[in-house]
Short mmCIF file of all heavy atoms in Angstrom, two decimals:
data_model
loop_
_atom_site.label_atom_id
_atom_site.label_comp_id
_atom_site.label_asym_id
_atom_site.label_seq_id
_atom_site.Cartn_x
_atom_site.Cartn_y
_atom_site.Cartn_z
N GLY Q 55 21.92 -28.26 -14.24
CA GLY Q 55 20.74 -29.13 -14.32
C GLY Q 55 20.68 -29.83 -15.67
O GLY Q 55 21.40 -29.48 -16.61
N ASP Q 56 19.83 -30.83 -15.77
CA ASP Q 56 19.60 -31.52 -17.04
C ASP Q 56 18.97 -30.52 -18.02
O ASP Q 56 18.08 -29.76 -17.66
CB ASP Q 56 18.66 -32.70 -16.80
CG ASP Q 56 18.38 -33.46 -18.07
OD1 ASP Q 56 19.22 -34.28 -18.45
OD2 ASP Q 56 17.32 -33.22 -18.68
N ARG Q 57 19.44 -30.54 -19.26
CA ARG Q 57 18.94 -29.58 -20.26
C ARG Q 57 17.44 -29.65 -20.44
O ARG Q 57 16.77 -28.65 -20.68
CB ARG Q 57 19.61 -29.83 -21.62
CG ARG Q 57 20.98 -29.23 -21.74
CD ARG Q 57 21.54 -29.56 -23.11
NE ARG Q 57 20.82 -28.81 -24.14
CZ ARG Q 57 21.25 -27.66 -24.64
NH1 ARG Q 57 22.36 -27.14 -24.22
NH2 ARG Q 57 20.54 -27.03 -25.56
N ASP Q 58 16.90 -30.87 -20.37
CA ASP Q 58 15.46 -31.03 -20.58
C ASP Q 58 14.68 -31.12 -19.26
O ASP Q 58 13.52 -31.48 -19.26
CB ASP Q 58 15.19 -32.27 -21.43
CG ASP Q 58 15.88 -32.16 -22.78
OD1 ASP Q 58 15.79 -31.06 -23.39
OD2 ASP Q 58 16.53 -33.13 -23.21
N GLY Q 59 15.35 -30.78 -18.17
CA GLY Q 59 14.65 -30.77 -16.90
C GLY Q 59 14.29 -32.17 -16.40
O GLY Q 59 13.37 -32.31 -15.61
N ARG Q 60 15.00 -33.18 -16.87
CA ARG Q 60 14.67 -34.53 -16.41
C ARG Q 60 15.08 -34.72 -14.95
O ARG Q 60 16.09 -34.18 -14.52
CB ARG Q 60 15.35 -35.58 -17.28
CG ARG Q 60 14.57 -35.89 -18.55
CD ARG Q 60 15.32 -36.91 -19.37
NE ARG Q 60 16.61 -36.36 -19.75
CZ ARG Q 60 17.08 -36.38 -21.00
NH1 ARG Q 60 16.39 -36.93 -21.97
NH2 ARG Q 60 18.26 -35.85 -21.27
N ILE Q 61 14.28 -35.48 -14.24
CA ILE Q 61 14.55 -35.78 -12.84
C ILE Q 61 14.71 -37.30 -12.76
O ILE Q 61 13.85 -38.02 -13.27
CB ILE Q 61 13.38 -35.29 -11.94
CG1 ILE Q 61 13.26 -33.77 -12.05
CG2 ILE Q 61 13.59 -35.74 -10.50
CD1 ILE Q 61 12.11 -33.17 -11.27
N PRO Q 62 15.80 -37.80 -12.17
CA PRO Q 62 16.02 -39.25 -12.18
C PRO Q 62 14.91 -39.99 -11.46
O PRO Q 62 14.36 -39.51 -10.47
CB PRO Q 62 17.36 -39.41 -11.47
CG PRO Q 62 17.61 -38.14 -10.76
CD PRO Q 62 16.87 -37.07 -11.50
N ASP Q 63 14.59 -41.17 -11.97
CA ASP Q 63 13.62 -42.06 -11.34
C ASP Q 63 14.33 -42.79 -10.20
O ASP Q 63 15.37 -43.40 -10.42
CB ASP Q 63 13.19 -43.09 -12.39
CG ASP Q 63 11.69 -43.10 -12.55
OD1 ASP Q 63 11.02 -42.22 -11.98
OD2 ASP Q 63 11.19 -43.99 -13.26
N LEU Q 64 13.78 -42.72 -9.02
CA LEU Q 64 14.39 -43.46 -7.91
C LEU Q 64 13.58 -44.72 -7.66
O LEU Q 64 12.42 -44.81 -8.05
CB LEU Q 64 14.44 -42.57 -6.67
CG LEU Q 64 15.23 -41.26 -6.83
CD1 LEU Q 64 15.27 -40.49 -5.52
CD2 LEU Q 64 16.66 -41.54 -7.31
N ARG Q 65 14.21 -45.69 -7.02
CA ARG Q 65 13.47 -46.93 -6.74
C ARG Q 65 12.36 -46.65 -5.74
O ARG Q 65 12.57 -45.93 -4.75
CB ARG Q 65 14.43 -47.99 -6.20
CG ARG Q 65 15.08 -48.72 -7.37
CD ARG Q 65 15.94 -49.84 -6.97
NE ARG Q 65 15.51 -50.53 -5.74
CZ ARG Q 65 16.02 -51.68 -5.38
NH1 ARG Q 65 16.92 -52.27 -6.12
NH2 ARG Q 65 15.65 -52.25 -4.24
N ASP Q 66 11.20 -47.27 -5.99
CA ASP Q 66 10.04 -47.03 -5.12
C ASP Q 66 10.35 -47.24 -3.65
O ASP Q 66 9.83 -46.55 -2.78
CB ASP Q 66 8.88 -47.95 -5.53
CG ASP Q 66 8.17 -47.42 -6.77
OD1 ASP Q 66 8.58 -46.36 -7.29
OD2 ASP Q 66 7.21 -48.08 -7.21
N SER Q 67 11.25 -48.22 -3.37
CA SER Q 67 11.52 -48.57 -1.98
C SER Q 67 12.62 -47.72 -1.35
O SER Q 67 12.89 -47.84 -0.15
CB SER Q 67 11.96 -50.04 -1.93
OG SER Q 67 13.09 -50.19 -2.78
N ASP Q 68 13.23 -46.86 -2.13
CA ASP Q 68 14.30 -46.00 -1.61
C ASP Q 68 13.74 -45.09 -0.49
O ASP Q 68 12.55 -44.78 -0.48
CB ASP Q 68 14.84 -45.13 -2.77
CG ASP Q 68 16.23 -44.56 -2.48
OD1 ASP Q 68 16.68 -44.64 -1.33
OD2 ASP Q 68 16.84 -44.04 -3.43
N VAL Q 69 14.60 -44.71 0.43
CA VAL Q 69 14.20 -43.75 1.47
C VAL Q 69 14.95 -42.44 1.21
O VAL Q 69 16.19 -42.43 1.16
CB VAL Q 69 14.52 -44.27 2.89
CG1 VAL Q 69 14.18 -43.22 3.94
CG2 VAL Q 69 13.74 -45.56 3.15
N ILE Q 70 14.21 -41.38 1.01
CA ILE Q 70 14.81 -40.11 0.60
C ILE Q 70 14.68 -39.11 1.74
O ILE Q 70 13.56 -38.83 2.20
CB ILE Q 70 14.06 -39.51 -0.63
CG1 ILE Q 70 13.64 -40.58 -1.64
CG2 ILE Q 70 14.85 -38.38 -1.25
CD1 ILE Q 70 14.78 -41.24 -2.33
N SER Q 71 15.79 -38.56 2.17
CA SER Q 71 15.73 -37.48 3.16
C SER Q 71 15.41 -36.18 2.45
O SER Q 71 15.88 -35.93 1.35
CB SER Q 71 17.07 -37.33 3.88
OG SER Q 71 17.41 -38.53 4.50
N VAL Q 72 14.59 -35.37 3.12
CA VAL Q 72 14.19 -34.08 2.55
C VAL Q 72 14.78 -32.97 3.42
O VAL Q 72 14.70 -33.03 4.65
CB VAL Q 72 12.65 -33.95 2.52
CG1 VAL Q 72 12.23 -32.61 1.90
CG2 VAL Q 72 12.02 -35.11 1.77
N TYR Q 73 15.38 -31.98 2.79
CA TYR Q 73 16.02 -30.89 3.53
C TYR Q 73 15.39 -29.55 3.17
O TYR Q 73 15.08 -29.29 2.01
CB TYR Q 73 17.52 -30.80 3.19
CG TYR Q 73 18.28 -32.05 3.53
CD1 TYR Q 73 18.39 -33.07 2.60
CD2 TYR Q 73 18.85 -32.20 4.79
CE1 TYR Q 73 19.07 -34.24 2.91
CE2 TYR Q 73 19.53 -33.36 5.11
CZ TYR Q 73 19.63 -34.38 4.17
OH TYR Q 73 20.30 -35.52 4.49
N ARG Q 74 15.26 -28.73 4.18
CA ARG Q 74 14.86 -27.35 3.97
C ARG Q 74 16.13 -26.54 3.79
O ARG Q 74 17.04 -26.60 4.62
CB ARG Q 74 14.12 -26.86 5.22
CG ARG Q 74 13.71 -25.44 5.20
CD ARG Q 74 12.74 -25.20 6.34
NE ARG Q 74 13.42 -24.99 7.63
CZ ARG Q 74 13.87 -23.81 8.04
NH1 ARG Q 74 13.74 -22.75 7.29
NH2 ARG Q 74 14.46 -23.69 9.22
N LEU Q 75 16.21 -25.79 2.70
CA LEU Q 75 17.41 -25.01 2.39
C LEU Q 75 17.03 -23.54 2.27
O LEU Q 75 16.04 -23.20 1.62
CB LEU Q 75 18.02 -25.48 1.06
CG LEU Q 75 18.31 -26.97 0.90
CD1 LEU Q 75 18.78 -27.28 -0.51
CD2 LEU Q 75 19.35 -27.43 1.92
N GLN Q 76 17.82 -22.71 2.91
CA GLN Q 76 17.53 -21.28 2.82
C GLN Q 76 18.84 -20.51 2.96
O GLN Q 76 19.70 -20.88 3.74
CB GLN Q 76 16.57 -20.89 3.95
CG GLN Q 76 16.00 -19.49 3.77
CD GLN Q 76 14.91 -19.16 4.77
OE1 GLN Q 76 15.10 -19.34 5.97
NE2 GLN Q 76 13.78 -18.67 4.28
N THR Q 77 18.97 -19.46 2.17
CA THR Q 77 20.18 -18.64 2.25
C THR Q 77 19.86 -17.23 1.78
O THR Q 77 18.94 -17.04 0.99
CB THR Q 77 21.31 -19.27 1.39
OG1 THR Q 77 22.54 -18.65 1.71
CG2 THR Q 77 21.06 -19.13 -0.09
N PRO Q 78 20.57 -16.23 2.28
CA PRO Q 78 20.28 -14.88 1.81
C PRO Q 78 20.72 -14.68 0.36
O PRO Q 78 21.69 -15.29 -0.09
CB PRO Q 78 21.12 -13.98 2.73
CG PRO Q 78 21.61 -14.84 3.82
CD PRO Q 78 21.61 -16.25 3.31
N VAL Q 79 20.01 -13.86 -0.36
CA VAL Q 79 20.40 -13.47 -1.70
C VAL Q 79 21.36 -12.30 -1.56
O VAL Q 79 21.02 -11.29 -0.96
CB VAL Q 79 19.16 -13.02 -2.50
CG1 VAL Q 79 19.57 -12.43 -3.84
CG2 VAL Q 79 18.21 -14.18 -2.69
N TRP Q 80 22.57 -12.48 -2.07
CA TRP Q 80 23.57 -11.45 -1.81
C TRP Q 80 23.51 -10.33 -2.83
O TRP Q 80 23.19 -10.51 -3.98
CB TRP Q 80 24.97 -12.04 -1.80
CG TRP Q 80 25.09 -13.04 -0.71
CD1 TRP Q 80 25.14 -14.38 -0.86
CD2 TRP Q 80 25.11 -12.79 0.68
NE1 TRP Q 80 25.20 -14.99 0.35
CE2 TRP Q 80 25.19 -14.05 1.31
CE3 TRP Q 80 25.07 -11.63 1.47
CZ2 TRP Q 80 25.23 -14.17 2.71
CZ3 TRP Q 80 25.12 -11.76 2.85
CH2 TRP Q 80 25.19 -13.00 3.45
N GLU Q 81 23.89 -9.18 -2.35
CA GLU Q 81 23.81 -7.97 -3.16
C GLU Q 81 24.65 -8.08 -4.43
O GLU Q 81 24.23 -7.67 -5.50
CB GLU Q 81 24.29 -6.79 -2.32
CG GLU Q 81 24.13 -5.48 -3.01
CD GLU Q 81 24.58 -4.34 -2.11
OE1 GLU Q 81 23.82 -4.00 -1.21
OE2 GLU Q 81 25.66 -3.82 -2.30
N PHE Q 82 25.84 -8.65 -4.34
CA PHE Q 82 26.70 -8.68 -5.52
C PHE Q 82 26.02 -9.40 -6.67
O PHE Q 82 26.29 -9.18 -7.83
CB PHE Q 82 28.06 -9.31 -5.20
CG PHE Q 82 28.01 -10.79 -4.96
CD1 PHE Q 82 27.99 -11.67 -6.03
CD2 PHE Q 82 27.98 -11.31 -3.67
CE1 PHE Q 82 27.94 -13.04 -5.82
CE2 PHE Q 82 27.93 -12.68 -3.45
CZ PHE Q 82 27.90 -13.54 -4.52
N LYS Q 83 25.11 -10.27 -6.32
CA LYS Q 83 24.50 -11.08 -7.34
C LYS Q 83 23.36 -10.35 -8.03
O LYS Q 83 23.11 -10.55 -9.20
CB LYS Q 83 24.00 -12.38 -6.71
CG LYS Q 83 24.07 -13.54 -7.67
CD LYS Q 83 23.73 -14.83 -6.98
CE LYS Q 83 23.37 -15.87 -8.03
NZ LYS Q 83 22.89 -17.08 -7.45
N TYR Q 84 22.63 -9.55 -7.31
CA TYR Q 84 21.40 -9.01 -7.88
C TYR Q 84 21.38 -7.49 -7.96
O TYR Q 84 20.38 -6.90 -8.34
CB TYR Q 84 20.20 -9.50 -7.08
CG TYR Q 84 19.99 -10.96 -7.31
CD1 TYR Q 84 20.21 -11.88 -6.29
CD2 TYR Q 84 19.62 -11.43 -8.56
CE1 TYR Q 84 20.04 -13.23 -6.52
CE2 TYR Q 84 19.46 -12.77 -8.81
CZ TYR Q 84 19.67 -13.67 -7.78
OH TYR Q 84 19.52 -15.00 -8.00
N GLY Q 85 22.45 -6.82 -7.59
CA GLY Q 85 22.45 -5.37 -7.70
C GLY Q 85 21.83 -4.74 -6.48
O GLY Q 85 21.18 -5.38 -5.68
N ASN Q 86 22.02 -3.42 -6.39
CA ASN Q 86 21.67 -2.68 -5.19
C ASN Q 86 20.24 -2.80 -4.72
O ASN Q 86 19.97 -3.08 -3.58
CB ASN Q 86 21.94 -1.21 -5.42
CG ASN Q 86 23.31 -0.86 -4.94
OD1 ASN Q 86 23.88 -1.61 -4.14
ND2 ASN Q 86 23.87 0.22 -5.43
N LEU Q 87 19.33 -2.57 -5.64
CA LEU Q 87 17.93 -2.37 -5.27
C LEU Q 87 17.41 -3.49 -4.38
O LEU Q 87 16.90 -3.26 -3.31
CB LEU Q 87 17.08 -2.27 -6.54
CG LEU Q 87 15.59 -2.19 -6.26
CD1 LEU Q 87 15.28 -0.87 -5.56
CD2 LEU Q 87 14.80 -2.32 -7.54
N LEU Q 88 17.55 -4.73 -4.84
CA LEU Q 88 16.94 -5.82 -4.09
C LEU Q 88 17.91 -6.42 -3.10
O LEU Q 88 17.51 -6.99 -2.09
CB LEU Q 88 16.41 -6.86 -5.07
CG LEU Q 88 15.26 -6.21 -5.84
CD1 LEU Q 88 15.24 -6.67 -7.28
CD2 LEU Q 88 13.95 -6.48 -5.16
N GLY Q 89 19.20 -6.24 -3.34
CA GLY Q 89 20.19 -6.78 -2.42
C GLY Q 89 20.08 -6.16 -1.04
O GLY Q 89 20.32 -6.83 -0.04
N LYS Q 90 19.69 -4.90 -0.98
CA LYS Q 90 19.62 -4.21 0.31
C LYS Q 90 18.47 -4.69 1.18
O LYS Q 90 18.38 -4.36 2.34
CB LYS Q 90 19.49 -2.70 0.08
CG LYS Q 90 20.76 -2.08 -0.47
CD LYS Q 90 20.94 -0.65 0.04
CE LYS Q 90 22.32 -0.12 -0.30
NZ LYS Q 90 22.36 0.47 -1.64
N MET Q 91 17.54 -5.43 0.62
CA MET Q 91 16.34 -5.80 1.37
C MET Q 91 16.49 -7.13 2.10
O MET Q 91 15.53 -7.63 2.67
CB MET Q 91 15.14 -5.89 0.43
CG MET Q 91 14.79 -4.56 -0.19
SD MET Q 91 13.16 -4.67 -0.91
CE MET Q 91 13.37 -3.73 -2.39
N ASN Q 92 17.66 -7.71 2.10
CA ASN Q 92 17.88 -8.96 2.81
C ASN Q 92 16.86 -10.03 2.41
O ASN Q 92 16.12 -10.57 3.22
CB ASN Q 92 17.82 -8.73 4.32
CG ASN Q 92 18.30 -9.95 5.07
OD1 ASN Q 92 19.12 -10.70 4.56
ND2 ASN Q 92 17.79 -10.15 6.26
#
Side-chain angles (χ1 to χ4, degrees):
D56 180 81
R57 279 179 70 95
D58 300 315
R60 277 179 298 229
I61 298 177
D63 235 8
L64 300 183
R65 274 185 31 168
D66 281 1
S67 57
D68 200 348
V69 176
I70 321 293
S71 302
V72 181
Y73 300 89
R74 177 167 82 86
L75 307 175
Q76 192 173 51
T77 193
V79 172
W80 298 106
E81 186 178 283
F82 71 82
K83 212 173 162 187
Y84 290 112
N86 267 341
L87 175 67
L88 293 144
K90 290 213 170 86
M91 295 195 219
N92 191 29

